[in-house]
Amino acid sequence: MALHYQSPIKPITIPQSKALSNPRPIVRCNLSFPARYPLLSTEPEPVYTSVKTFAPATVANLGPGFDFLGCAVDGVGDFVSISLDSHVHPGEVNIADIKGDNAKKLSRNPIWNCAGIAAIEVMKMLGVRSVGLSLSLDKGLPLGSGLGSSAASAAAAAVAVNEIFGGKLSLEELVMAGLKSEEKVSGYHADNVAPAIMGGFVLVRNYEPLELIRLSFPTEKELFFVLASPEFEAPTKKMRAALPKEIGMPFHVWNSSQAGALVAAVLQGDLVGLGKALSSDRIVEPTRAPLIPGMQAVKKAAIEAGAFGCTISGAGPTAVAVIDNEEKGKEIGVQMVNAFLNVGNLKAVASVQRLDRAGARLIGSIPR
């Protein structure tokens, strides 16, 4: 029996760039009423001819934090390149190219593409009417993987448009643009797109109005995510449709306490506590796990191999485990891949990645 230990995509090293804006612990942005665009009094001039951005993969929910907790994962994600294009109608976006696995499944119509939707939203926010933009998307994340594929595309596109016009928008405004994309593509939830843009761990405190809290994981602590991705697609909308419409009070109390414990563990850098809380969901995971062949066995195998905790990443099918040692993480990944194959009859690949603290960023540009 052949075991595969590799990344679901080719690992990449992303150049770090200047911060997009000053990070703030609490970000508030009111989405209760339609936004009045543009947000700026005058249309900004482009400062670059072209830019290239990267946005990382994300792990949403983190067990008990359904729709309100998420974090960014380093080394894997999507790239977006945007350039000024005189052949594109002013104020519009043209998707020139899409590369990567399953690229043919993605629409090149910008109003039906997550990167296109986010790019258009940022142009509206900036009030761009004088130039047209050409967009190229390089998908590093597989579709329906549970790693925030749509959010990564939206985040990279939003940051790219913002940067080509001089970075006028704040992080919270970029999250709003990304959320507009997520709403159309996979549902109104910010637990992927917020960490994809902001980096690190993010708590969505409220949706109406949108209120985000960035959770600071101690810089001196090591945290590794073991990502085991099977050859199985779990579309977010389908996995959300399977969730219970109502839950009992005991389940609410349990999940609330575990989500609180997870937040405390993140802030304290308590990896054992983080893993324990991550594994404790009694509402969403029990419903979704049976829909992913072998998932329950994968979780058991990860914990028996030494992981501090394991759960479904987002809507799945990727399983995510946490550990404090990269080599140990590789051993855990082998056991998770084994379990997917032996119990779920699914081929899978595994990778070990660090927490991405930076979020979506500019990695290349050509001055105008």
Side-chain angles (χ1 to χ4, degrees):
M1 176 179 62
L3 293 182
H4 298 274
Y5 185 82
Q6 61 188 70
S7 172
I9 60 168
K10 185 178 180 181
I12 48 179
T13 301
I14 308 301
Q16 297 299 312
S17 65
K18 63 182 179 64
L20 300 180
S21 61
N22 293 324
R24 286 176 281 175
I26 299 180
V27 179
R28 292 185 178 89
C29 36
N30 195 326
L31 291 184
S32 295
F33 302 99
R36 294 182 179 178
Y37 296 153
L39 301 181
L40 306 181
S41 57
T42 59
E43 180 180 350
E45 288 287 329
V47 298
Y48 298 111
T49 299
S50 66
V51 297
K52 185 174 184 179
T53 56
F54 168 81
T58 47
V59 174
N61 303 337
L62 296 169
F66 177 70
D67 272 9
F68 64 87
L69 285 172
C71 68
V73 178
D74 193 26
V76 290
D78 286 1
F79 296 88
V80 164
S81 297
I82 282 185
S83 59
L84 304 179
D85 192 335
S86 59
H87 299 292
V88 178
H89 192 277
E92 295 184 1
V93 175
N94 174 63
I95 298 180
D97 188 34
I98 302 176
K99 298 178 182 177
D101 292 339
N102 296 312
K104 292 182 179 179
K105 291 185 177 181
L106 299 176
S107 174
R108 286 179 54 180
N109 184 333
I111 65 173
W112 294 108
N113 180 286
C114 44
I117 296 167
I120 291 169
E121 195 69 11
V122 172
M123 290 183 78
K124 289 179 180 178
M125 289 177 169
L126 293 171
V128 175
R129 306 180 191 88
S130 302
V131 297
L133 300 178
S134 181
L135 183 154
S136 294
L137 172 63
D138 189 349
K139 288 295 298 176
L141 293 173
L143 307 180
S145 61
L147 293 172
S149 178
S150 62
S153 296
V159 169
V161 175
N162 189 45
E163 290 299 307
I164 206 169
F165 291 101
K168 303 295 184 182
L169 300 182
S170 65
L171 286 179
E172 60 265 37
E173 288 162 343
L174 293 175
V175 171
M176 290 170 65
L179 186 56
K180 190 77 171 180
S181 173
E182 286 286 82
E183 181 181 14
K184 290 186 179 180
V185 176
S186 63
Y188 192 76
H189 55 94
D191 48 346
N192 285 114
V193 74
I197 289 174
M198 300 167 66
F201 288 89
V202 176
L203 165 66
V204 184
R205 182 175 179 178
N206 191 22
Y207 276 93
E208 290 291 343
L210 183 66
E211 188 173 347
L212 308 171
I213 302 176
R214 192 171 187 174
L215 307 175
S216 297
F217 185 80
T219 56
E220 68 275 10
K221 294 277 189 174
E222 285 277 30
L223 170 59
F224 293 92
F225 298 93
V226 185
L227 305 172
S229 299
E231 293 181 357
F232 183 83
E233 193 169 326
T236 300
K237 286 187 176 181
K238 177 181 177 181
M239 299 301 279
R240 292 178 80 87
L243 298 178
K245 303 300 181 186
E246 297 180 353
I247 60 169
M249 182 61 74
F251 292 96
H252 163 69
V253 172
W254 172 264
N255 264 41
S256 296
S257 66
Q258 298 309 305
L262 192 147
V263 169
V266 168
L267 296 175
Q268 295 169 3
D270 174 11
L271 293 186
V272 174
L274 172 60
K276 186 177 180 180
L278 185 87
S279 304
S280 67
D281 176 30
R282 292 185 180 177
I283 298 173
V284 177
E285 184 183 310
T287 303
R288 286 177 168 172
L291 303 178
I292 304 170
M295 179 58 73
Q296 291 152 318
V298 171
K299 178 175 182 176
K300 181 180 179 183
I303 293 173
E304 289 180 350
F308 295 138
C310 180
T311 190
I312 302 171
S313 178
T318 295
V320 57
V322 292
I323 194 66
D324 59 354
N325 179 276
E326 186 173 11
E327 290 305 312
K328 184 64 175 177
K330 291 179 180 179
E331 296 174 10
I332 294 168
V334 170
Q335 297 306 313
M336 294 170 74
V337 168
N338 251 334
F340 264 128
L341 185 60
N342 294 337
V343 180
N345 198 31
L346 294 176
K347 293 180 180 179
V349 293
S351 65
V352 182
Q353 309 292 347
R354 283 185 167 89
L355 176 71
D356 185 305
R357 299 174 186 266
R361 58 244 192 211
L362 180 69
I363 61 172
S365 61
I366 299 176
R368 198 175 182 197

